[in-house]
Amino acid sequence: MFAWLAGLLVQALWRRSARAVHLWPAPWAGRVGGLLAATAYAVFAGWGVPAQRTVWMLATITLLHLSGRRWPWAMVLLVAAVVVSALDPWALLQPGFWLSFVAVGLLMASEPAQRVVDRNAPSPRWWQRLWVAARGGVRTQVVATLGLTPLSLVFFQQVSVVGLVANLVAIPLVTLVITPLALLGVMLAPLWRVGAAVQEALSQGLAWLGALPGAVWVVPAAPLWAQAAGLLGAALVVLPLPWRLRLFAIPLVMPLLLPVPVRPEAGRYEVVAVDVGQGTAVLVRTRGHLLVYDAGPQYSRESDAGQRVLLPLLQARGETRINRLVLSHRDLDHVGGAKPLLQTLPVGELLSSLEDGHPIRAMAASPVRCAAGQRWVWDGVQFEVLHPRAEDYERSLKSNAMSCVVKVSGPQGTLLLTGDIERQQEAELLSTSAAALRSDVMLVPHHGSRTSSTAAFLDAVAPKVAIVQAGYRNRFGHPVADVTERLKARGVRIEASAACGAWQWGGGEAVCERDRARRYWHHAARGE
């Protein structure tokens, strides 16, 4: 935008000099002037990666135009993409690279054929030129919105429904009002206040739009074939083709817009031990119900696992409701991400050991205390609370001792979710529920702390797999060597989130996310 404004200004000034236009054509001067101005602007703005990418693209297109040859638009765009990716190879891994180039490509490809201009026709009046410009701006936004919707769904599993309206308001204001006022404010400081007032009004308007019900369309992650079909459908709908051909876009984009999430069969369940760093968060999904056990840690005042990890994961999996949110105890590495979950998704019931005055408990519509003996069955899968006992709430126990312990049982096997129980609670469970402890998969108590996982408790549970949810090189040293040695001595396979990432188990072979979707820098040479 800045290059375009600067180029128009340079061209206008260049045409005022007869000597200048004889030395160099005004359009060429405008292109070079716009490029130099954009480069200076990018340097002044901090020379960030997106700014660098834009400058390289502008420089490539400018040089191609100055060469005097007529390059097809597709070749111009391709050369620009090659130059940008050669200078910044990491750009290929960023959604912004593909969104920007695809947007430009769609606008070029969808441009209708140029009409023959009648030079004898009278010049259009100002309001006619304004109407043509406004109509072109609306068309540009419609093409960009429709064309980029499938790509947004592929990258983010969501698209803004109000984005078209927001862009029609924001782009003219930013281009014609806010940016000029910001630049002119260098010479006349009071203009900055005017620009700031317009910016504030724009921000409030966009915030109001974004808060409208249904402002964002969220879908589950679609399979690869549906993504490819959706991208093809987007191209068909914006290309200047007959409408009979464009109608083929509808069946192509439907699998991407309305994908059917995969659910376990009745009687079976799926487990995802989420990688949230130093904290706990486990999803248990049956055919028609979802249980979330703990919500991960709070990373800072502005960030937590619920906002950064769990909500995007649940949206990608097509989850629109949490039937039961279990918060084992009040520690921040277990409840730090609970507020965004309660604020964003409907939660059928909050089952926890939180005290009555806890703010998270106050947010829930149906808060219930977890207590040993509670049982329920979802789609043929049995759930049972083993700890704490009802009388424990009358005692002055530390938060770890009040951890809700939940056992999940189905034909595929059993799962034991242990929270942060310690030796004393393990001993109490051995004395009251020893037979019920035996499980195929166990969430290692207290992230593998030396205060837990006693030999007697491990013998009673006898797990085949032990899941350790702990941060990479965490300051607590979890899991400690004593615990891992006791597990290995019993032939238990240990899956730590720091190395495994998200651990998924649906009854068959368990999968580590970092093994299933290895990054390119984890590539191993053949034979290793």
Side-chain angles (χ1 to χ4, degrees):
M1 181 198 65
F2 187 78
W4 172 68
L5 291 174
L8 290 178
L9 179 60
V10 170
Q11 284 191 56
L13 295 176
W14 199 268
R15 289 192 180 97
R16 292 182 177 271
S17 171
R19 185 176 181 181
V21 295
H22 281 86
L23 291 175
W24 221 23
W28 286 18
R31 292 189 181 106
V32 174
L35 172 61
L36 294 177
T39 303
Y41 183 85
V43 172
F44 181 75
W47 199 239
V49 172
Q52 293 179 40
R53 192 182 306 153
T54 305
V55 169
W56 302 141
M57 191 170 80
L58 289 172
T60 303
I61 294 174
T62 300
L63 290 175
L64 290 178
H65 284 170
L66 294 180
S67 68
R69 295 181 175 87
R70 293 178 61 90
W71 286 63
W73 68 264
M75 187 62 68
V76 173
L77 192 65
L78 178 60
V79 172
V82 169
V83 171
V84 170
S85 57
L87 293 171
D88 181 18
W90 293 94
L92 296 172
L93 302 179
Q94 299 173 359
F97 172 88
W98 298 102
L99 288 170
S100 59
F101 274 95
V102 169
V104 174
L106 288 174
L107 291 173
M108 290 179 170
S110 63
E111 189 70 26
Q114 296 294 327
R115 296 180 180 178
V116 178
V117 178
D118 185 1
R119 298 185 179 274
N120 297 322
S123 299
R125 297 182 179 182
W126 67 269
W127 59 268
Q128 291 175 320
R129 293 196 298 269
L130 181 61
W131 168 251
V132 171
R135 187 175 60 183
V138 172
R139 176 190 169 278
T140 296
Q141 289 306 312
V142 170
V143 170
T145 300
L146 294 178
L148 293 182
T149 291
L151 202 58
S152 298
L153 293 175
V154 168
F155 284 130
F156 312 114
Q157 289 81 54
Q158 63 182 23
V159 65
S160 174
V161 177
V162 299
L164 176 60
V165 176
N167 285 335
L168 289 175
V169 175
I171 290 177
L173 275 180
V174 173
T175 304
L176 303 175
V177 180
I178 295 175
T179 299
L181 287 174
L183 296 175
L184 293 173
V186 176
M187 298 178 290
L188 193 61
L191 292 178
W192 279 337
R193 296 182 180 178
V194 180
V198 177
Q199 173 66 42
E200 179 65 22
L202 176 62
S203 299
Q204 291 179 0
L206 294 178
W208 176 80
L209 274 177
L212 290 175
V216 178
W217 177 274
V218 180
V219 300
L224 186 60
W225 66 267
Q227 296 177 15
L231 296 176
L232 177 59
L236 281 179
V237 80
V238 300
L239 289 176
L241 299 171
W243 278 106
R244 287 172 294 183
L245 292 178
R246 295 191 189 189
L247 291 177
F248 282 105
I250 297 177
L252 288 173
V253 300
M254 290 305 292
L256 181 60
L257 291 174
L258 298 170
V260 179
V262 179
R263 299 289 185 244
E265 299 176 359
R268 305 184 71 84
Y269 63 94
E270 181 185 16
V271 181
V272 180
V274 188
D275 182 8
V276 291
Q278 184 64 26
T280 297
V282 178
L283 312 181
V284 181
R285 154 56 72 178
T286 67
R287 179 70 178 177
H289 298 80
L290 172 66
L291 179 140
V292 177
Y293 182 86
D294 282 340
Q298 181 179 8
Y299 303 126
S300 67
R301 292 183 179 179
E302 297 80 22
S303 176
D304 55 66
Q307 173 192 11
R308 297 287 300 275
V309 181
L310 292 180
L311 279 178
L313 176 62
L314 292 174
Q315 291 171 352
R317 292 170 59 86
E319 305 291 359
T320 58
R321 174 183 174 85
I322 299 174
N323 298 95
R324 185 160 289 152
L325 173 61
V326 180
L327 300 179
S328 62
H329 61 297
R330 69 190 319 273
D331 287 1
L332 272 183
D333 57 336
H334 294 254
V335 303
K339 288 184 179 180
L341 297 182
L342 289 165
Q343 292 170 345
T344 307
L345 294 175
V347 176
E349 180 182 275
L350 173 64
L351 185 65
S352 73
S353 61
L354 303 177
E355 63 273 16
D356 290 340
H358 198 284
I360 293 178
R361 184 180 172 89
M363 294 176 62
S366 301
V368 178
R369 280 182 171 178
C370 61
Q374 293 170 328
R375 294 181 177 85
W376 66 93
V377 178
W378 282 346
D379 309 307
V381 179
Q382 299 179 7
F383 295 79
E384 181 180 4
V385 178
L386 303 180
H387 184 80
R389 298 170 298 181
E391 56 267 26
D392 289 340
Y393 288 97
E394 307 300 326
R395 303 163 59 191
S396 297
L397 299 175
K398 62 181 183 178
S399 60
N400 286 351
M402 296 299 296
S403 293
C404 303
V405 177
V406 179
K407 183 178 180 180
V408 185
S409 305
Q412 69 201 61
T414 50
L415 167 71
L416 187 65
L417 303 171
T418 58
D420 280 357
I421 58 172
E422 299 182 349
R423 294 189 186 94
Q424 181 62 36
Q425 291 72 53
E426 292 179 357
E428 292 174 359
L429 284 168
L430 288 173
S431 64
T432 59
S433 310
L437 289 176
R438 185 170 294 274
S439 301
D440 299 294
V441 178
M442 178 186 70
L443 184 67
V444 175
H446 203 178
H447 319 286
S449 167
R450 60 173 45 88
T451 63
S452 309
S453 301
T454 60
F457 183 76
L458 295 181
D459 289 337
V461 178
K464 300 175 183 176
V465 180
I467 308 302
V468 179
Q469 288 189 301
Y472 176 68
R473 292 189 175 182
N474 62 85
R475 63 190 178 94
F476 307 102
H478 296 161
V480 298
D482 292 346
V483 171
T484 57
E485 288 174 3
R486 283 197 291 270
L487 290 168
K488 290 178 180 178
R490 289 161 175 79
V492 180
R493 187 171 83 251
I494 302 173
E495 298 289 3
S497 57
C500 173
W503 183 83
Q504 302 177 60
W505 179 53
E509 184 178 355
V511 177
C512 282
E513 181 64 20
R514 294 191 182 178
D515 292 334
R516 187 188 68 83
R518 295 176 67 87
R519 302 295 187 180
Y520 70 87
W521 55 82
H522 292 153
H523 176 73
R526 190 182 299 274
E528 290 186 8

